[in-house]
């Protein structure tokens, strides 16, 4: 009879649907379908989608490509650790290494230009969190994740690690410059 | 075949307890509460550290305490209590004996050993790897082994539950189908079995890796399988606490489900589709295609969302119909205004339902949307969401059920009844404010699992906006309020169980199998009819329907506000 007793009617599944429930199920189902179609819709018409482009690679190979980029496009160094700042040409491949507990190197990009950003971790899982834009991406060891990004406004941005990666996790923060 | 069984009938509720089952329910529930107490103390330390003006613990202690808090609460407190609920839903509600009490005790002690071993590993300090324990970050082997032993124990308990269902059926202790609450508990049990299997698939190799027998575990593979375990384990809770909502509606109001078919169908949707929702933890990971993400999170997950939206209507709907039958028929909401708001069994359950739906449900869908996830992945929005689902949803529902169990199962009078009347409000509303401000801070980019958002001493420090600090401060204050509410629960529960006035405990009666059989069923109409009479708009529960529409409008607005926000961030493909 009540929910803690067996249904009094043995053929409970033949009970007709009550209108309160029927109406709500219909409304809720339509809403669920709207939510479902929003994702493919955004793939076609929206501008913010994650790429499906990713490759397995090794820390050595990724480090080598990053070093090459740094050698070619370094414009200056920052902080006591002399972290290189690179200004690669628009449209080029840009590499960013995540490792305990640092982002390397620092990037300087141009507003309105598009870049292929390669992200990879050298060791544990890290989180690429671009602030204050608030774009958040998981960074894995061994997987080179490639995103096509177009910075919109010039300014000084921060990259915060937002995947717990050990005791000095909170020190893993870096800059990203966007210039005109 | 003529097994004799010992039963007692609770004089205040008429519920029937099998003697060994009763003891197991008590011990499992008490073990759960002990872990809740431990987790609650840790919760206070976590919240006082993340409150920027207080910033209590040093970094190493913070991560240790956060790891222990997550595991003690999400696994040990909740699963111990769930096992008690499973035994109750099977043995007590079916009025049958518990299958294999010896195995049930073995399960209990394995769970204790596993939980203690895991806690020791964490408190020794070399296993601060968080609830998720993502490889290649490694913990001490005892950390994984503890979890495995606990899981095997829980798996045994699930089989005892299923065995008890079989016993009830074979010994004909009830007529027709099992009660809705037992049905809901069965879905929780089935999800639990799937979950524990996934846990074994991932934790066993990780354990072997921690002792050096496996040399590499792929981080993406780990994360994918881990979430099949990690997220599904939270779905056990959803099934369990929705069952508890139905049980409380029945206990407090004598409410009947609007229709068994709809409520049971919604539970079945959980079994079919909830598991896929695990994928929403992988939306910003490389190496998984968009098609995979869309299928897993949306097509299928929305059917699970649909199920929750259905329960969100049918539980208050059943209460409304029951109240209207008692004569509270004026206007849309007299039934709700005249509900027993001073009774913590009801108030806790209702706050649990509203908080789970509005805060947990809506934010969960937002996080589970492929592109919107970019905005909040790994920010403090995520714990904001799951404190709404797991703490307001599951923990508060279990707390409310405790107030019912103390007199009927433990046969003690509730101590501090005034405090008990306030407890769900302080805990539920404190936790709601806590979750809400966490979500706000997450939208501003504040990361989760982060010791110092001021980045003190760092040359490249990032400055979060002042609003983020304000919201983290408010999170801290609300968190402390919720911890106080939790402390009140512990004081009432432990106080009543050990020092409460004893109610007379009827002696257990020996019942032979043949006598225990259910009476032949009363004749019932072949085709069931009747839901009660429509109260307004041709609906039997118009007030609930109006509330559901408020919910829908909030949902739609919040969902599209987030798409609007997403459209302003950097183009990305
Ligand atoms: Cu980190």
């Amino acid at each position: 009879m009540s929910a803690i007793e067996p249904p009094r009617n043995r053929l409970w599944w033949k009970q007709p649907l009550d209108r309160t429930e029927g109406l709500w199920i219909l409304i809720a189902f339509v809403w669920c379908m709207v939510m479902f179609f929003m994702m493919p819709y955004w793939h076609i018409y929206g501008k913010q989608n994650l790429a499906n482009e990713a490759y397995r690679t090794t820390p050595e190979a990724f480090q080598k490509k990053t070093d090459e980029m740094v050698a070619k496009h370094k414009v200056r160094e920052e902080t006591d650790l002399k972290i290189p700042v690179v200004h690669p040409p628009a449209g080029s491949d840009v590499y960013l290494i995540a490792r305990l507990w640092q982002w390397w190197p620092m990037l300087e990009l141009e507003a309105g230009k598009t870049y292929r950003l390669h992200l990879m971790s050298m060791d544990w899982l890290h989180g690429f969190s671009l602030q204050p834009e608030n774009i958040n991406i998981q960074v894995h060891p061994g997987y080179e994740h490639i995103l096509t990004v177009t910075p919109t406004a010039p300014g000084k941005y921060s990259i915060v690690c937002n995947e717990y990666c050990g005791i000095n996790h909170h020190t893993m923060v870096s800059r990203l410059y966007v210039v005109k | 075949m003529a097994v004799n069984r010992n039963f007692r009938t609770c004089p205040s509720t008429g519920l029937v307890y099998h003697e060994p089952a009763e003891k197991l329910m008590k011990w499992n529930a008490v073990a759960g509460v002990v872990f809740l107490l431990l987790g609650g103390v840790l919760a206070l330390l976590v919240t006082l550290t993340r409150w920027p003006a207080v910033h209590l613990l040093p970094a190493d202690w913070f991560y240790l305490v956060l790891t222990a808090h997550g595991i003690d609460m999400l696994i040990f407190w909740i699963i111990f209590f769930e096992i008690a609920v499973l035994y109750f839903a099977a043995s007590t509600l079916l009025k049958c004996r518990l299958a294999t009490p010896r195995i049930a005790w073995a399960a209990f002690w394995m769970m204790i050993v596993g939980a203690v071993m895991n806690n020791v590993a964490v408190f020794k300090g070399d296993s601060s790897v968080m609830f998720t324990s993502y490889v290649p970050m490694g913990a001490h082997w005892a950390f994984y082994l503890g979890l495995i032993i606990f899981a095997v124990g829980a798996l045994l308990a699930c089989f005892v539950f299923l065995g008890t269902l079989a016993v009830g059926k074979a010994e004909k202790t009830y007529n027709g189908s099992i009660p809705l609450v037992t049905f809901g508990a069965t879905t929780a049990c089935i999800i639990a079995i799937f979950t524990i299997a996934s846990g074994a698939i991932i934790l066993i190799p990780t354990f072997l890796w921690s002792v050096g027998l496996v040399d590499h575990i792929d981080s993406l593979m780990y994360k994918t399988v881990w979430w099949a375990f990690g997220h599904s384990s939270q779905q056990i809770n959803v099934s369990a606490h929705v069952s508890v909502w139905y049980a409380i509606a029945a206990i407090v109001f004598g409410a009947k489900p609007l229709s068994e078919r709809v409520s049971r169908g919604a539970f079945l949707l959980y079994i079919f589709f909830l598991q896929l929702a695990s994928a929403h933890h992988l939306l910003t990971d490389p190496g998984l295609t968009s098609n995979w993400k869309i299928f897993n999170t949306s097509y299928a997950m929305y059917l699970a969302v649909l199920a929750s939206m259905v329960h969100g209507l049918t539980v208050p709907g059943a209460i409304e119909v029951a109240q209207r039958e008692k004569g509270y028929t004026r206007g849309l909401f007299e039934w709700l205004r005249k509900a027993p708001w001073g009774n913590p069994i009801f108030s806790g359950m209702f706050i649990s339902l509203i908080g789970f739906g509005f805060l947990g449900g809506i934010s969960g869908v937002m996080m589970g949307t492929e592109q919107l996830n970019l905005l909040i992945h790994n920010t403090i929005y995520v714990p904001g969401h799951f404190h709404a689902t797991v703490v307001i949803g599951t923990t508060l529902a279990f707390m409310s059920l405790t107030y019912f169990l103390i007199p009927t199962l433990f046969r003690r009078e509730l101590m501090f009844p005034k405090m008990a009347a306030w407890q769900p409000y302080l805990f539920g509303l404190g936790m709601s404010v806590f979750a809400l401000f966490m979500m706000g801070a997450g939208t501003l980019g504040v990361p989760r699992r982060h010791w110092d958002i001021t980045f003190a001493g760092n040359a490249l420090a990032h400055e979060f906006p002042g609003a983020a600090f304000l919201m983290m401060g408010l999170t801290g204050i609300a968190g402390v309020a919720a911890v106080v509410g939790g402390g009140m629960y512990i004081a009432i529960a432990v106080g009543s169980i050990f020092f409460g006035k004893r109610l007379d405990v009827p002696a257990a009666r020996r019942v032979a199998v043949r006598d225990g059989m259910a009476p032949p069923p009363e004749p019932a109409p072949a085709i069931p009819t009747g839901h009660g009479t429509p109260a307004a708009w041709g609906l039997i529960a118009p007030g609930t329907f109006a509330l559901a529409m408020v919910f829908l409008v909030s949902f739609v607005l919040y969902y599209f506000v987030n798409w609007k926000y997403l459209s302003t961030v950097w183009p990305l493909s």
Side-chain angles (χ1 to χ4, degrees):
Chain A
M1 195 167 121
S2 77
I4 54 171
E5 287 159 33
R8 173 183 283 177
N9 212 300
R10 298 188 75 111
L11 303 179
W12 50 265
W13 56 89
K14 289 196 175 161
Q15 185 179 15
L17 212 63
D18 164 61
R19 194 201 292 226
T20 315
E21 285 179 306
L23 210 56
W24 176 242
I25 291 171
L26 185 72
I27 293 168
F29 184 72
V30 169
W31 172 236
C32 288
M33 286 302 108
V34 171
M35 293 192 293
F36 168 52
F37 283 110
M38 270 312 282
M39 288 190 279
Y41 170 87
W42 203 261
H43 271 277
I44 300 166
Y45 299 102
K47 292 202 173 74
Q48 293 79 11
N49 289 290
L50 273 184
N52 283 316
E53 200 177 346
Y55 305 98
R56 264 177 202 280
T57 181
T58 59
E60 295 73 32
F62 195 80
Q63 180 79 52
K64 194 163 158 265
K65 285 192 274 186
T66 314
D67 286 342
E68 278 163 18
M69 172 191 74
V70 170
K72 249 198 230 162
H73 304 298
K74 184 163 94 171
V75 288
R76 60 179 184 277
E77 286 173 345
E78 283 194 11
T79 79
D80 299 346
L81 296 168
K82 298 205 161 45
I83 300 171
V85 181
V86 293
H87 186 125
S92 68
D93 287 278
V94 180
Y95 297 85
L96 182 62
I97 288 176
R99 65 188 171 208
L100 298 171
W101 285 284
Q102 190 187 51
W103 298 96
W104 195 90
M106 262 189 255
L107 307 175
E108 187 174 276
L109 308 177
E110 287 167 34
K113 299 286 163 53
T114 299
Y115 299 84
R116 275 165 61 79
L117 175 64
H118 299 237
L119 285 175
M120 195 175 107
S121 159
M122 298 282 120
D123 35 53
W124 294 357
L125 264 82
H126 296 286
F128 172 93
S129 176
L130 184 76
Q131 297 300 334
E133 271 308 284
N134 214 7
I135 291 175
N136 303 281
I137 295 164
Q138 191 87 36
V139 186
H140 279 261
Y143 290 87
E144 182 173 352
H145 195 182
I146 304 166
L147 305 144
T148 310
V149 293
T150 315
T152 46
K156 204 165 81 177
Y157 294 82
S158 294
I159 301 172
V160 174
C161 177
N162 69 2
E163 180 63 82
Y164 171 68
C165 56
I167 187 75
N168 283 327
H169 166 51
H170 63 277
T171 62
M172 190 167 161
V173 50
S174 181
R175 290 258 161 81
L176 186 149
Y177 297 98
V178 178
V179 295
K180 279 227 171 91
Chain B
M1 189 56 209
V3 184
N4 289 325
R5 310 161 298 185
N6 291 327
F7 287 101
R8 73 166 175 85
T9 305
C10 169
S12 35
T13 57
L15 291 172
V16 170
Y17 291 94
H18 178 227
E19 218 177 7
E22 182 186 9
K23 210 166 178 192
L24 277 154
M25 283 177 222
K26 285 181 181 174
W27 279 68
N28 277 285
V30 168
V33 172
V34 170
F35 283 103
L36 180 69
L37 170 62
L38 175 59
V41 172
L42 300 170
L44 185 65
L45 297 174
V46 171
T47 205
L48 289 179
T49 306
R50 293 231 60 175
W51 181 348
V54 182
H55 207 234
L56 182 70
L57 296 177
D60 52 344
W61 271 99
F62 171 70
Y63 293 123
L64 185 158
V65 162
L66 186 55
T67 303
H69 166 69
I71 296 175
D72 282 332
M73 291 301 212
L74 276 169
I75 304 186
F76 303 142
W77 140 244
I78 287 180
I79 294 184
F80 270 115
F81 201 91
E82 270 164 0
I83 300 299
V85 170
L86 285 185
Y87 293 162
F88 178 82
S91 159
T92 303
L93 294 185
L94 297 183
K95 302 178 172 51
C96 75
R97 69 180 169 90
L98 189 81
T100 61
R102 263 201 221 137
I103 295 181
W105 280 111
F108 175 77
W109 287 112
M110 284 183 81
M111 288 164 71
I112 292 280
V113 168
V116 170
M117 187 188 262
N118 179 275
N119 267 284
V120 168
V122 172
F123 281 98
K124 265 182 25 198
D126 54 2
S127 300
S128 301
V129 293
M130 302 294 139
F131 178 63
T132 44
S133 55
Y134 289 142
V135 300
M137 190 180 352
H140 190 266
W141 57 264
F143 176 93
Y144 307 107
L145 190 61
L147 288 178
I148 293 168
I149 294 173
F150 180 87
V152 174
L155 192 61
L156 282 181
C158 286
F159 291 131
V160 172
F161 168 80
L162 293 177
T164 306
L165 294 187
V167 164
K169 181 129 198 103
E171 296 179 0
K172 295 202 180 67
T173 58
Y174 63 97
N175 283 315
S177 307
I178 56 174
L180 177 60
V181 171
T182 312
F183 186 85
T186 310
T187 62
C189 175
I190 292 169
I191 297 171
I193 291 170
F194 167 85
T195 300
I196 294 169
S198 313
I201 293 172
I202 200 61
L203 283 172
I204 291 172
T206 308
F207 165 68
L208 295 175
W209 170 75
S210 72
V211 293
L213 290 172
V214 167
D215 54 53
H216 175 75
I217 291 185
D218 181 77
S219 65
L220 185 63
M221 189 276 292
Y222 175 91
K223 200 166 178 256
T224 307
V225 184
W226 193 91
W227 279 111
F229 156 76
H231 197 85
S232 312
S233 69
Q234 306 319 309
Q235 317 297 5
I236 310 171
N237 309 342
V238 175
S239 272
H241 78 233
V242 170
S243 306
V244 169
W245 292 346
Y246 278 111
I248 289 176
I251 289 161
V252 177
F253 300 95
K256 305 179 195 83
L258 295 182
S259 68
E260 296 273 354
R261 182 161 58 139
V262 169
S263 299
R264 285 174 200 244
F267 274 120
L268 282 181
L269 288 179
Y270 280 159
I271 295 193
F272 295 143
F273 298 111
L274 267 181
Q275 315 306 339
L276 303 174
S278 311
H280 81 242
H281 294 272
L282 303 158
L283 290 173
T284 66
D285 289 58
L288 301 163
T289 67
S290 299
N291 291 342
W292 185 86
K293 290 170 181 173
I294 292 176
F295 173 78
N296 281 287
T297 59
S298 79
Y299 174 64
M301 179 173 149
Y302 293 145
L303 292 181
V305 169
L306 181 69
S308 285
M309 287 171 83
V310 168
H311 291 305
L313 178 99
T314 55
V315 175
I319 294 176
E320 179 172 356
V321 170
Q323 285 282 77
R324 282 179 187 278
E325 276 171 12
K326 283 186 200 116
Y328 300 119
T329 51
R330 249 178 308 152
L332 277 182
F333 296 113
E334 197 196 11
W335 63 275
L336 192 58
R337 272 187 290 113
K338 294 287 168 66
W341 291 100
N343 177 352
I345 307 176
F346 165 73
S347 64
M349 172 257 152
F350 208 80
I351 296 169
S352 165
L353 185 139
I354 298 288
F356 178 80
F358 276 85
L359 295 175
I362 294 177
S363 62
V365 167
M366 136 76 186
M367 297 203 316
T369 304
E370 193 201 5
Q371 296 94 340
L372 296 180
N373 189 269
L374 272 177
L375 295 174
I376 47 86
H377 177 74
N378 266 346
T379 68
I380 201 160
Y381 189 100
V382 179
H385 154 76
F386 70 69
H387 279 79
T389 55
V390 179
V391 186
I392 305 175
T394 309
T395 295
L396 186 53
F398 288 177
M399 285 174 169
S400 324
L401 187 67
T402 311
Y403 294 124
F404 168 74
L405 291 178
I406 286 170
T408 175
L409 173 63
F410 290 92
R411 296 303 292 153
R412 299 274 188 165
E413 206 168 79
L414 201 63
M415 274 179 118
F416 321 120
K418 274 258 169 59
M419 191 157 94
W422 283 103
Q423 190 273 334
Y425 294 95
L426 184 61
F427 184 77
L429 300 180
M431 203 33 91
S432 301
V433 173
F434 174 84
L436 205 61
F437 283 121
M438 266 192 175
M439 291 179 202
T443 308
L444 295 173
V446 174
R448 68 189 293 198
R449 296 172 173 173
H450 201 282
W451 176 63
D452 180 18
I453 58 167
T454 66
F455 307 95
N458 197 305
L460 298 166
H462 171 68
E463 235 177 89
F464 282 105
F469 282 89
L470 177 68
M471 288 205 245
M472 290 309 290
L474 293 169
T475 299
I477 295 168
V480 171
V483 169
V484 171
M488 285 161 64
Y489 166 79
I490 304 267
I492 298 161
V494 174
S496 308
I497 289 168
F498 293 103
F499 310 108
K501 205 177 123 212
R502 269 176 203 282
L503 301 168
D504 59 313
V505 188
R509 222 162 34 86
R510 283 176 73 81
V511 178
V513 165
R514 201 168 298 278
D515 302 333
M517 284 195 180
E522 298 163 37
I527 309 276
T529 50
H531 284 286
T533 36
W537 312 325
L539 304 174
I540 55 170
T544 301
F545 193 79
L547 288 177
M549 295 315 290
V550 171
F551 172 77
L552 186 79
V553 170
S554 332
F555 198 164
V556 172
L557 286 177
Y558 185 73
Y559 185 71
F560 285 112
V561 162
N562 277 294
W563 282 108
K564 178 90 184 86
Y565 173 22
L566 181 73
S567 73
T568 64
V569 309
W570 292 2
L572 199 70
S573 62

